[in-house]
Amino acid sequence: MQTKIPESGVVSSCLGLLEIIGIQAWRNNTGALKDNKGRLVRYGKKGSADIIGILPGGKFLSVECKAPGGRVRPDQIDFMNMINKYGGLACIVHSCDELMEVLKKNGVTR
């Protein structure tokens, strides 16, 4: 029986890969919480990717991580399309191997 990797595991392994190959990247959280007065406070841009970073040459990197079989929300697709439209590299991956293939395809690594 194959163990299903949670999304948090995909994020962690992708961040590890990016660190190993020398790409500056960090976890990007979005969501909402209640402050000490009970008011809802939102943080982060809705739909923004799990990982954002800077590729060599200054190109923006956006990586949406999903567990195998995970669904992508429309706002996440909109964010990815915006990044790609303006010259960044945005992708959706289900593993660090998939991220490595995206980077190779885009000339970031050998």
Side-chain angles (χ1 to χ4, degrees):
M1 185 168 138
Q2 190 174 14
T3 305
K4 186 172 180 178
I5 300 169
E7 185 173 304
S8 61
V10 177
V11 172
S12 293
S13 64
C14 287
L15 282 169
L17 170 67
L18 292 168
E19 182 178 1
I20 288 168
I21 62 177
I23 293 175
Q24 297 297 310
W26 51 94
R27 178 76 169 98
N28 179 51
N29 290 310
T30 61
L33 54 85
K34 290 189 178 182
D35 69 8
N36 58 358
K37 294 184 179 180
R39 295 177 296 205
L40 189 64
V41 178
R42 296 189 184 279
Y43 57 92
K45 177 162 177 55
K46 188 173 181 182
S48 62
D50 296 309
I51 298 171
I52 57 175
I54 306 165
L55 296 172
K59 191 174 191 177
F60 187 84
L61 173 66
S62 170
V63 181
E64 179 60 41
C65 298
K66 292 292 179 191
R71 293 186 355 207
V72 182
R73 298 187 321 264
D75 58 323
Q76 293 171 321
I77 292 170
D78 291 344
F79 185 83
M80 185 177 75
N81 289 338
M82 176 189 64
I83 297 302
N84 287 326
K85 176 182 175 182
Y86 289 102
L89 173 58
C91 60
I92 300 165
V93 301
H94 302 86
S95 68
C96 64
D97 291 337
E98 195 174 344
L99 176 57
M100 188 65 165
E101 287 304 313
V102 169
L103 294 172
K104 283 180 182 178
K105 181 180 174 185
N106 285 276
V108 177
T109 63
R110 292 183 220 188

XYZ file of all heavy atoms in Angstrom:
828
model
N 0.828 -1.179 0.000
C 0.000 0.000 0.000
C 0.877 1.248 0.000
O 1.784 1.373 0.808
C -0.899 -0.013 1.235
C -1.881 1.108 1.272
S -3.085 0.756 2.559
C -3.223 2.351 3.257
N 0.611 2.172 -0.922
C 1.413 3.375 -1.052
C 0.909 4.460 -0.102
O -0.293 4.678 0.023
C 1.355 3.893 -2.488
C 2.348 4.991 -2.757
C 2.334 5.366 -4.235
O 1.452 5.006 -4.984
N 3.340 6.106 -4.643
N 1.833 5.120 0.606
C 1.477 6.183 1.527
C 1.244 7.467 0.749
O 2.052 7.840 -0.093
C 2.621 6.413 2.545
O 2.897 5.180 3.188
C 2.245 7.443 3.560
N 0.131 8.135 1.054
C -0.176 9.409 0.393
C 0.595 10.521 1.090
O 0.557 10.654 2.307
C -1.676 9.687 0.444
C -2.056 10.908 -0.341
C -3.540 11.065 -0.439
C -3.848 12.311 -1.237
N -5.266 12.514 -1.427
N 1.304 11.317 0.307
C 2.090 12.425 0.839
C 1.166 13.617 1.040
O 0.476 14.032 0.109
C 3.224 12.797 -0.127
C 4.155 11.615 -0.332
C 3.999 14.005 0.379
C 5.145 11.803 -1.465
N 1.137 14.204 2.253
C 0.295 15.381 2.457
C 0.894 16.606 1.761
O 2.093 16.639 1.449
C 0.289 15.564 3.975
C 1.570 14.945 4.432
C 1.839 13.811 3.460
N 0.067 17.608 1.532
C 0.540 18.828 0.873
C 1.715 19.450 1.623
O 2.671 19.921 1.009
C -0.601 19.836 0.762
C -0.211 21.083 -0.016
C -1.373 22.007 -0.275
O -2.363 21.557 -0.865
O -1.270 23.184 0.111
N 1.670 19.419 2.953
C 2.772 19.994 3.736
C 4.098 19.291 3.428
O 5.156 19.923 3.423
C 2.467 19.932 5.228
O 2.309 18.584 5.642
N 4.037 17.993 3.148
C 5.245 17.253 2.780
C 5.768 17.669 1.421
O 6.987 17.747 1.210
N 4.861 17.936 0.487
C 5.265 18.400 -0.843
C 5.921 19.775 -0.721
O 6.978 20.027 -1.316
C 4.061 18.446 -1.816
C 4.480 18.991 -3.174
C 3.428 17.065 -1.963
N 5.328 20.665 0.081
C 5.897 22.004 0.286
C 7.297 21.890 0.882
O 8.251 22.507 0.392
C 4.990 22.879 1.186
C 5.681 24.184 1.562
C 3.657 23.159 0.505
N 7.442 21.090 1.930
C 8.745 20.941 2.593
C 9.806 20.390 1.651
O 10.942 20.890 1.629
C 8.626 20.009 3.805
O 7.837 20.591 4.790
N 9.457 19.366 0.882
C 10.452 18.779 -0.022
C 10.823 19.758 -1.138
O 11.988 19.827 -1.536
C 9.972 17.441 -0.580
O 8.830 17.596 -1.388
N 9.858 20.537 -1.629
C 10.162 21.524 -2.674
C 11.047 22.643 -2.132
O 11.987 23.075 -2.805
C 8.874 22.093 -3.264
S 7.993 20.922 -4.327
N 10.760 23.095 -0.912
C 11.628 24.120 -0.303
C 13.040 23.578 -0.119
O 14.019 24.292 -0.350
C 11.048 24.576 1.035
C 9.884 25.543 0.962
C 9.222 25.703 2.332
C 10.333 26.894 0.421
N 13.161 22.323 0.288
C 14.476 21.698 0.435
C 15.222 21.623 -0.879
O 16.421 21.929 -0.947
N 14.531 21.233 -1.935
C 15.146 21.173 -3.266
C 15.644 22.547 -3.689
O 16.780 22.688 -4.147
C 14.144 20.639 -4.291
C 14.583 20.757 -5.753
C 15.758 19.847 -6.037
C 13.420 20.465 -6.687
N 14.802 23.553 -3.536
C 15.186 24.906 -3.951
C 16.404 25.390 -3.168
O 17.303 26.016 -3.732
C 14.004 25.866 -3.786
C 12.840 25.596 -4.740
C 11.609 26.383 -4.319
C 13.220 25.913 -6.178
N 16.462 25.072 -1.885
C 17.621 25.454 -1.074
C 18.890 24.753 -1.577
O 19.939 25.384 -1.733
C 17.383 25.114 0.390
C 18.527 25.543 1.285
C 18.274 25.254 2.742
O 17.223 24.693 3.107
O 19.157 25.598 3.551
N 18.782 23.471 -1.853
C 19.935 22.690 -2.314
C 20.491 23.238 -3.632
O 21.701 23.295 -3.814
C 19.563 21.195 -2.459
C 19.397 20.566 -1.079
C 20.595 20.433 -3.273
C 18.755 19.190 -1.090
N 19.611 23.639 -4.539
C 20.095 24.117 -5.839
C 20.348 25.628 -5.854
O 20.677 26.184 -6.890
C 19.169 23.687 -6.999
C 17.772 24.259 -6.856
C 19.128 22.175 -7.113
C 16.845 23.916 -8.023
N 20.216 26.264 -4.691
C 20.627 27.664 -4.554
C 19.613 28.705 -4.993
O 19.990 29.829 -5.325
N 18.333 28.347 -4.988
C 17.299 29.320 -5.352
C 16.688 29.882 -4.074
O 16.270 29.125 -3.189
C 16.219 28.667 -6.243
C 16.851 28.294 -7.589
C 15.025 29.605 -6.431
C 15.940 27.532 -8.512
N 16.645 31.204 -3.980
C 16.056 31.866 -2.820
C 14.542 31.734 -2.884
O 13.905 32.209 -3.822
C 16.445 33.354 -2.797
C 17.934 33.588 -2.652
C 18.443 33.049 -1.331
O 17.889 33.332 -0.268
N 19.508 32.261 -1.388
N 13.961 31.066 -1.884
C 12.516 30.848 -1.870
C 12.055 30.690 -0.430
O 12.835 30.325 0.451
C 12.161 29.606 -2.679
N 10.779 30.953 -0.197
C 10.237 30.846 1.146
C 8.761 30.473 1.094
O 8.100 30.641 0.082
C 10.437 32.136 1.937
C 9.970 33.363 1.212
C 8.740 33.963 1.325
C 10.688 34.130 0.255
N 8.671 35.057 0.488
C 9.866 35.188 -0.177
C 11.982 34.032 -0.290
C 10.259 36.123 -1.125
C 12.370 34.973 -1.235
C 11.515 36.002 -1.631
N 8.274 29.979 2.226
C 6.872 29.599 2.381
C 6.026 30.859 2.389
O 6.375 31.848 3.021
C 6.707 28.841 3.704
C 5.281 28.427 4.013
C 4.897 27.223 3.159
N 3.650 26.634 3.601
C 2.462 26.874 3.047
N 2.342 27.718 2.055
N 1.390 26.276 3.488
N 4.929 30.825 1.687
C 4.020 31.961 1.597
C 2.655 31.523 2.133
O 1.993 30.704 1.524
C 3.904 32.403 0.131
C 2.969 33.555 -0.049
O 3.090 34.561 0.631
N 2.035 33.426 -0.964
N 2.285 32.044 3.275
C 1.010 31.675 3.888
C -0.066 32.701 3.579
O 0.211 33.900 3.490
C 1.153 31.557 5.400
C 1.968 30.349 5.790
O 1.714 29.253 5.328
N 2.970 30.550 6.631
N -1.283 32.239 3.433
C -2.446 33.106 3.287
C -3.550 32.540 4.165
O -3.542 31.360 4.505
C -2.956 33.168 1.833
O -3.353 31.868 1.427
C -1.895 33.701 0.896
N -4.479 33.392 4.539
C -5.592 32.901 5.339
C -6.239 34.010 6.137
O -6.150 35.192 5.789
N -6.859 33.623 7.232
C -7.544 34.573 8.107
C -7.549 34.033 9.522
O -7.506 32.816 9.736
C -8.963 34.799 7.617
N -7.604 34.950 10.465
C -7.717 34.584 11.871
C -8.401 35.718 12.613
O -8.520 36.826 12.096
C -6.355 34.268 12.481
C -5.249 35.319 12.359
C -5.336 36.340 13.473
C -3.914 34.629 12.407
N -8.833 35.441 13.818
C -9.464 36.483 14.632
C -8.427 37.079 15.561
O -7.637 36.360 16.175
C -10.637 35.919 15.416
C -11.801 35.571 14.507
C -13.031 35.210 15.288
C -14.161 34.934 14.299
N -15.405 34.628 14.964
N -8.443 38.417 15.646
C -7.521 39.084 16.560
C -8.067 39.017 17.985
O -9.116 38.407 18.238
C -7.229 40.518 16.097
C -8.420 41.455 16.222
O -9.454 41.075 16.807
O -8.312 42.595 15.720
N -7.373 39.642 18.935
C -7.772 39.550 20.344
C -9.100 40.246 20.645
O -9.645 40.087 21.726
C -6.665 40.075 21.260
C -6.291 41.511 20.962
O -6.819 42.130 20.050
N -5.364 42.035 21.730
N -9.632 41.007 19.681
C -10.947 41.642 19.846
C -12.026 40.898 19.066
O -13.153 41.350 18.977
C -10.891 43.095 19.404
C -10.005 43.948 20.299
C -10.041 45.393 19.901
C -9.146 46.182 20.846
N -9.124 47.587 20.517
N -11.658 39.761 18.464
C -12.629 38.956 17.742
C -12.856 39.373 16.299
O -13.722 38.833 15.621
N -12.059 40.335 15.807
C -12.204 40.790 14.413
C -11.428 39.859 13.487
O -10.322 39.429 13.802
C -11.676 42.218 14.262
C -12.481 43.237 15.043
C -11.848 44.598 14.905
N -10.520 44.555 15.513
C -9.872 45.601 15.999
N -10.396 46.794 15.917
N -8.687 45.464 16.538
N -12.027 39.598 12.339
C -11.377 38.759 11.347
C -10.300 39.550 10.622
O -10.562 40.641 10.105
C -12.406 38.238 10.335
C -11.906 37.176 9.358
C -11.514 35.906 10.109
C -12.980 36.868 8.335
N -9.092 39.013 10.603
C -7.960 39.651 9.940
C -7.464 38.702 8.856
O -7.117 37.556 9.141
C -6.816 39.943 10.940
C -5.627 40.567 10.233
C -7.310 40.825 12.071
N -7.442 39.175 7.623
C -6.941 38.369 6.508
C -5.482 38.732 6.246
O -5.089 39.875 6.416
C -7.775 38.622 5.258
C -9.216 38.188 5.419
C -9.973 38.235 4.094
N -11.350 37.903 4.283
C -11.822 36.656 4.384
N -11.001 35.645 4.300
N -13.103 36.435 4.570
N -4.719 37.743 5.813
C -3.317 37.986 5.473
C -2.957 37.236 4.209
O -3.532 36.201 3.901
C -2.393 37.600 6.635
C -2.539 36.168 7.074
C -1.731 35.176 6.532
C -3.491 35.810 8.022
C -1.868 33.859 6.929
C -3.632 34.488 8.420
C -2.820 33.529 7.881
O -2.938 32.220 8.264
N -2.026 37.792 3.459
C -1.601 37.197 2.200
C -2.590 37.482 1.086
O -3.730 37.880 1.311
N -2.148 37.310 -0.146
C -3.005 37.507 -1.315
C -3.743 36.219 -1.618
O -3.127 35.168 -1.785
C -2.171 37.940 -2.527
C -3.006 38.096 -3.791
C -2.303 38.907 -4.831
C -3.082 39.005 -6.116
N -4.436 39.516 -5.980
N -5.052 36.304 -1.706
C -5.867 35.125 -1.991
C -5.416 34.486 -3.311
O -5.253 35.170 -4.312
C -7.341 35.510 -2.077
C -8.247 34.323 -2.167
C -9.709 34.716 -2.093
C -10.550 33.456 -2.157
N -11.960 33.744 -2.138
N -5.188 33.199 -3.275
C -4.764 32.476 -4.470
C -3.267 32.414 -4.669
O -2.791 31.698 -5.552
N -2.514 33.172 -3.863
C -1.061 33.147 -4.064
C -0.498 31.779 -3.701
O -1.079 31.021 -2.919
C -0.373 34.255 -3.260
O -0.580 34.098 -1.887
N 0.640 31.470 -4.279
C 1.224 30.136 -4.194
C 1.811 29.829 -2.818
O 2.114 30.724 -2.036
C 2.305 29.991 -5.264
N 2.023 28.538 -2.567
C 2.606 28.067 -1.316
C 4.056 28.512 -1.149
O 4.525 28.742 -0.039
C 2.564 26.534 -1.261
C 1.150 26.004 -1.245
O 0.351 26.474 -0.417
O 0.837 25.130 -2.075
N 4.769 28.583 -2.265
C 6.178 28.964 -2.250
C 6.373 30.105 -3.243
O 5.888 30.037 -4.373
C 7.093 27.785 -2.656
C 6.947 26.629 -1.664
C 8.549 28.233 -2.776
C 7.647 25.345 -2.101
N 7.075 31.141 -2.806
C 7.481 32.196 -3.728
C 8.982 32.391 -3.585
O 9.572 32.059 -2.560
C 6.715 33.526 -3.511
C 6.877 34.039 -2.092
C 5.249 33.351 -3.872
C 6.236 35.395 -1.858
N 9.592 32.899 -4.647
C 11.031 33.076 -4.609
C 11.542 33.867 -5.787
O 10.763 34.422 -6.568
N 12.862 33.900 -5.879
C 13.546 34.661 -6.921
C 14.517 33.736 -7.629
O 15.411 33.149 -7.007
C 14.319 35.856 -6.325
C 13.381 36.710 -5.482
C 14.975 36.671 -7.424
C 14.099 37.689 -4.578
N 14.338 33.602 -8.933
C 15.238 32.783 -9.741
C 16.482 33.577 -10.120
O 16.471 34.810 -10.063
C 14.513 32.321 -11.007
C 13.319 31.400 -10.785
C 12.570 31.186 -12.093
C 13.774 30.067 -10.210
N 17.550 32.897 -10.520
C 18.726 33.617 -11.004
C 18.322 34.607 -12.097
O 17.487 34.297 -12.944
C 19.618 32.500 -11.568
C 19.211 31.284 -10.788
C 17.737 31.442 -10.559
N 18.847 35.802 -12.042
C 18.482 36.838 -13.000
C 17.314 37.692 -12.525
O 16.914 38.632 -13.200
N 16.722 37.355 -11.367
C 15.670 38.170 -10.782
C 14.251 37.797 -11.148
O 13.310 38.478 -10.743
N 14.053 36.729 -11.886
C 12.707 36.308 -12.285
C 11.933 35.785 -11.068
O 12.466 35.028 -10.255
C 12.831 35.223 -13.353
C 11.555 34.866 -14.049
C 11.858 33.878 -15.184
C 10.672 33.683 -16.072
N 10.970 32.791 -17.191
N 10.663 36.191 -10.965
C 9.801 35.779 -9.861
C 9.413 34.311 -10.019
O 9.075 33.862 -11.111
C 8.537 36.651 -9.853
C 7.651 36.439 -8.657
C 7.896 37.094 -7.465
C 6.558 35.596 -8.740
C 7.069 36.911 -6.369
C 5.720 35.399 -7.654
C 5.974 36.059 -6.462
N 9.440 33.566 -8.919
C 9.057 32.158 -8.908
C 7.846 31.972 -8.005
O 7.796 32.502 -6.893
C 10.211 31.289 -8.383
C 9.891 29.808 -8.165
C 9.605 29.108 -9.493
C 11.042 29.128 -7.435
N 6.882 31.219 -8.487
C 5.662 30.921 -7.740
C 5.360 29.430 -7.909
O 5.175 28.959 -9.027
C 4.515 31.766 -8.311
O 3.282 31.362 -7.791
N 5.336 28.699 -6.788
C 5.117 27.256 -6.841
C 3.914 26.890 -5.973
O 3.954 27.060 -4.749
C 6.356 26.470 -6.350
C 6.115 24.967 -6.447
C 7.610 26.877 -7.112
N 2.860 26.438 -6.601
C 1.685 25.931 -5.881
C 1.875 24.428 -5.706
O 2.010 23.699 -6.687
C 0.403 26.224 -6.659
C -0.847 25.718 -5.991
C -1.083 26.318 -4.617
O -0.857 27.533 -4.423
O -1.501 25.560 -3.717
N 1.911 23.978 -4.460
C 2.118 22.569 -4.158
C 0.790 21.907 -3.837
O -0.027 22.460 -3.101
C 3.050 22.425 -2.960
S 4.698 23.099 -3.234
N 0.601 20.726 -4.385
C -0.603 19.949 -4.130
C -0.216 18.519 -3.801
O 0.722 17.968 -4.378
C -1.523 19.939 -5.357
C -2.139 21.285 -5.681
C -3.117 21.689 -4.614
C -3.739 23.039 -4.880
N -4.491 23.526 -3.727
N -0.959 17.927 -2.879
C -0.808 16.498 -2.639
C -1.286 15.780 -3.894
O -2.119 16.317 -4.634
C -1.642 16.090 -1.435
N -0.773 14.598 -4.158
C -1.276 13.862 -5.317
C -2.802 13.780 -5.280
O -3.377 13.427 -4.262
C -0.620 12.486 -5.167
C 0.656 12.779 -4.429
C 0.293 13.876 -3.457
N -3.426 14.186 -6.367
C -4.881 14.204 -6.453
C -5.520 15.473 -5.926
O -6.731 15.639 -5.998
N -4.695 16.392 -5.390
C -5.221 17.650 -4.843
C -5.782 18.548 -5.938
O -5.293 18.537 -7.062
N -6.803 19.303 -5.603
C -7.455 20.181 -6.577
C -6.933 21.604 -6.479
O -6.649 22.102 -5.394
C -8.969 20.180 -6.348
C -9.586 18.837 -6.652
C -11.089 18.815 -6.580
N -11.700 20.047 -6.120
C -12.856 20.127 -5.510
N -13.530 19.047 -5.259
N -13.357 21.277 -5.144
N -6.849 22.242 -7.622
C -6.408 23.635 -7.705
C -7.656 24.517 -7.758
O -8.561 24.267 -8.550
C -5.533 23.856 -8.962
C -5.046 25.290 -9.022
C -4.363 22.887 -8.972
N -7.700 25.544 -6.926
C -8.842 26.464 -6.900
C -8.723 27.489 -8.026
O -7.610 27.824 -8.469
C -8.912 27.194 -5.561
C -9.123 26.290 -4.368
C -9.364 27.086 -3.089
N -8.563 28.280 -2.965
C -7.399 28.369 -2.300
N -6.893 27.306 -1.715
N -6.756 29.516 -2.227
N -9.835 28.035 -8.494
C -9.809 29.054 -9.552
C -8.939 30.266 -9.204
O -8.225 30.775 -10.063
C -11.278 29.452 -9.709
C -12.036 28.238 -9.293
C -11.224 27.626 -8.172
N -8.956 30.716 -7.935
C -8.129 31.866 -7.567
C -6.636 31.533 -7.643
O -5.811 32.399 -7.930
C -8.510 32.419 -6.192
C -8.398 31.411 -5.068
O -8.709 30.224 -5.273
O -8.016 31.816 -3.952
N -6.279 30.270 -7.439
C -4.880 29.861 -7.574
C -4.466 29.855 -9.050
O -3.352 30.255 -9.390
C -4.669 28.488 -6.950
C -4.841 28.505 -5.443
C -4.842 27.125 -4.833
O -5.392 26.182 -5.393
N -4.240 27.006 -3.651
N -5.357 29.425 -9.917
C -5.084 29.460 -11.358
C -4.942 30.899 -11.827
O -4.030 31.231 -12.588
C -6.187 28.721 -12.142
C -6.117 27.226 -11.830
C -6.051 28.963 -13.644
C -7.291 26.417 -12.338
N -5.811 31.792 -11.334
C -5.727 33.211 -11.691
C -4.385 33.809 -11.266
O -3.756 34.545 -12.031
C -6.867 34.010 -11.042
C -8.232 33.692 -11.624
O -8.301 33.087 -12.722
O -9.231 34.046 -10.964
N -3.924 33.476 -10.056
C -2.638 33.985 -9.576
C -1.505 33.473 -10.456
O -0.632 34.241 -10.879
C -2.410 33.572 -8.116
C -1.168 34.163 -7.521
C -1.175 35.445 -6.999
C 0.013 33.445 -7.485
C -0.020 36.005 -6.458
C 1.165 33.984 -6.953
C 1.146 35.268 -6.430
N -1.528 32.184 -10.765
C -0.497 31.586 -11.610
C -0.475 32.240 -12.994
O 0.590 32.573 -13.515
C -0.736 30.084 -11.742
C 0.362 29.367 -12.496
S 0.105 27.597 -12.567
C -1.192 27.510 -13.768
N -1.636 32.449 -13.572
C -1.713 33.092 -14.889
C -1.162 34.513 -14.857
O -0.494 34.946 -15.796
C -3.146 33.079 -15.411
C -3.605 31.694 -15.817
O -2.800 30.811 -16.098
N -4.913 31.486 -15.831
N -1.430 35.250 -13.770
C -0.917 36.612 -13.630
C 0.620 36.607 -13.596
O 1.269 37.393 -14.284
C -1.454 37.261 -12.357
C -0.882 38.655 -12.099
S -1.306 39.322 -10.477
C -0.484 38.179 -9.378
N 1.202 35.705 -12.807
C 2.662 35.634 -12.699
C 3.272 35.306 -14.060
O 4.225 35.951 -14.503
C 3.089 34.586 -11.646
C 2.586 34.976 -10.256
C 4.604 34.384 -11.656
C 3.044 36.318 -9.748
N 2.729 34.322 -14.744
C 3.257 33.949 -16.062
C 3.070 35.075 -17.079
O 3.958 35.323 -17.900
C 2.615 32.650 -16.546
C 3.128 31.441 -15.785
O 4.285 31.377 -15.389
N 2.252 30.485 -15.567
N 1.943 35.762 -17.031
C 1.661 36.868 -17.962
C 2.715 37.964 -17.854
O 3.126 38.553 -18.852
C 0.278 37.446 -17.669
C -0.071 38.661 -18.501
C -1.443 39.209 -18.117
C -1.734 40.499 -18.853
N -3.033 41.062 -18.453
N 3.169 38.242 -16.635
C 4.137 39.314 -16.429
C 5.586 38.848 -16.403
O 6.471 39.569 -15.946
C 3.785 40.091 -15.163
C 2.533 40.921 -15.373
C 1.315 40.517 -14.871
C 2.584 42.091 -16.127
C 0.160 41.266 -15.093
C 1.441 42.837 -16.355
C 0.236 42.423 -15.838
O -0.902 43.161 -16.066
N 5.847 37.643 -16.920
C 7.220 37.202 -17.118
C 7.824 36.357 -16.024
O 8.993 35.982 -16.096
N 7.058 36.046 -14.980
C 7.558 35.169 -13.930
C 7.385 33.715 -14.327
O 6.924 33.392 -15.425
N 7.761 32.837 -13.426
C 7.581 31.402 -13.633
C 6.668 30.894 -12.529
O 7.037 30.917 -11.354
C 8.921 30.661 -13.587
C 8.845 29.131 -13.617
C 8.117 28.633 -14.864
C 10.231 28.528 -13.517
N 5.462 30.487 -12.901
C 4.501 29.937 -11.949
C 4.128 28.529 -12.382
O 3.954 28.264 -13.575
C 3.258 30.812 -11.885
N 4.019 27.631 -11.409
C 3.693 26.245 -11.727
C 2.933 25.602 -10.577
O 2.920 26.115 -9.459
C 4.965 25.457 -12.031
S 6.145 25.416 -10.667
N 2.325 24.476 -10.891
C 1.669 23.630 -9.906
C 2.402 22.304 -9.924
O 2.599 21.720 -10.998
C 0.188 23.425 -10.258
C -0.531 24.768 -10.305
C -0.475 22.471 -9.264
C -1.879 24.718 -10.975
N 2.822 21.835 -8.749
C 3.563 20.574 -8.672
C 2.988 19.675 -7.587
O 2.360 20.155 -6.643
C 5.075 20.802 -8.437
C 5.685 21.630 -9.555
C 5.338 21.442 -7.087
N 3.234 18.383 -7.747
C 2.784 17.381 -6.786
C 3.955 16.672 -6.107
O 3.741 15.771 -5.304
C 1.890 16.360 -7.489
C 0.706 16.993 -8.138
N 0.748 17.519 -9.412
C -0.540 17.228 -7.673
C -0.435 18.031 -9.707
N -1.239 17.868 -8.671
N 5.185 17.072 -6.455
C 6.382 16.482 -5.855
C 7.583 17.372 -6.174
O 7.532 18.196 -7.096
C 6.639 15.084 -6.426
O 7.012 15.174 -7.789
N 8.679 17.153 -5.446
C 9.890 17.921 -5.746
C 10.491 17.460 -7.072
O 11.121 18.252 -7.775
C 10.896 17.859 -4.603
S 11.572 16.249 -4.248
N 10.271 16.194 -7.461
C 10.739 15.732 -8.772
C 10.037 16.500 -9.893
O 10.660 16.869 -10.886
C 10.477 14.230 -8.943
C 11.351 13.371 -8.037
O 12.422 13.844 -7.605
O 10.952 12.222 -7.762
N 8.750 16.722 -9.726
C 7.993 17.484 -10.720
C 8.503 18.926 -10.787
O 8.646 19.492 -11.872
C 6.506 17.448 -10.363
C 5.593 17.879 -11.473
C 4.123 17.679 -11.130
O 3.779 16.938 -10.180
O 3.308 18.288 -11.834
N 8.808 19.519 -9.626
C 9.362 20.874 -9.614
C 10.701 20.908 -10.343
O 10.961 21.823 -11.130
C 9.518 21.383 -8.182
C 10.183 22.740 -8.028
C 9.452 23.840 -8.812
C 10.300 23.109 -6.550
N 11.541 19.920 -10.119
C 12.845 19.873 -10.789
C 12.664 19.824 -12.299
O 13.391 20.504 -13.034
C 13.646 18.660 -10.302
C 15.059 18.666 -10.798
S 15.958 20.078 -10.104
C 17.601 19.595 -10.458
N 11.698 19.060 -12.772
C 11.431 18.984 -14.214
C 10.976 20.334 -14.765
O 11.390 20.735 -15.849
C 10.401 17.904 -14.519
C 10.937 16.499 -14.372
C 12.172 16.239 -15.233
O 12.166 16.583 -16.441
O 13.162 15.701 -14.704
N 10.127 21.038 -14.029
C 9.673 22.373 -14.456
C 10.874 23.318 -14.553
O 11.016 24.073 -15.520
C 8.612 22.943 -13.487
C 8.342 24.417 -13.765
C 7.327 22.143 -13.575
N 11.730 23.283 -13.551
C 12.909 24.160 -13.551
C 13.833 23.830 -14.718
O 14.317 24.733 -15.406
C 13.650 24.048 -12.211
C 12.876 24.563 -10.991
C 13.625 24.222 -9.717
C 12.608 26.051 -11.092
N 14.065 22.547 -14.962
C 14.914 22.139 -16.101
C 14.302 22.596 -17.418
O 15.002 23.125 -18.272
C 15.076 20.611 -16.117
C 16.037 20.079 -15.100
C 16.127 18.563 -15.212
C 17.054 17.989 -14.180
N 17.113 16.513 -14.256
N 13.006 22.387 -17.571
C 12.305 22.774 -18.803
C 12.428 24.274 -19.069
O 12.451 24.711 -20.222
C 10.842 22.379 -18.698
C 10.007 22.709 -19.908
C 8.563 22.283 -19.697
C 7.714 22.763 -20.853
N 6.293 22.486 -20.643
N 12.537 25.052 -17.990
C 12.629 26.503 -18.125
C 14.067 27.024 -18.025
O 14.287 28.215 -17.855
C 11.745 27.167 -17.073
C 10.284 27.064 -17.443
O 9.764 27.864 -18.201
N 9.605 26.032 -16.927
N 15.027 26.110 -18.150
C 16.430 26.491 -18.206
C 17.038 26.972 -16.905
O 18.091 27.603 -16.908
N 16.401 26.641 -15.787
C 16.912 27.103 -14.494
C 18.019 26.197 -13.997
O 18.960 26.644 -13.373
C 15.770 27.228 -13.459
C 16.309 27.635 -12.108
C 14.716 28.208 -13.958
N 17.919 24.895 -14.259
C 18.955 23.940 -13.850
C 19.284 23.040 -15.032
O 18.582 23.023 -16.028
C 18.454 23.060 -12.683
O 17.340 22.300 -13.139
C 18.068 23.882 -11.482
N 20.353 22.311 -14.889
C 20.751 21.376 -15.950
C 20.064 20.059 -15.810
O 19.692 19.622 -14.805
C 22.255 21.157 -15.915
C 23.007 22.377 -16.298
C 24.448 22.047 -16.307
N 25.135 23.199 -15.731
C 26.416 23.328 -15.710
N 27.171 22.397 -16.196
N 26.978 24.362 -15.200
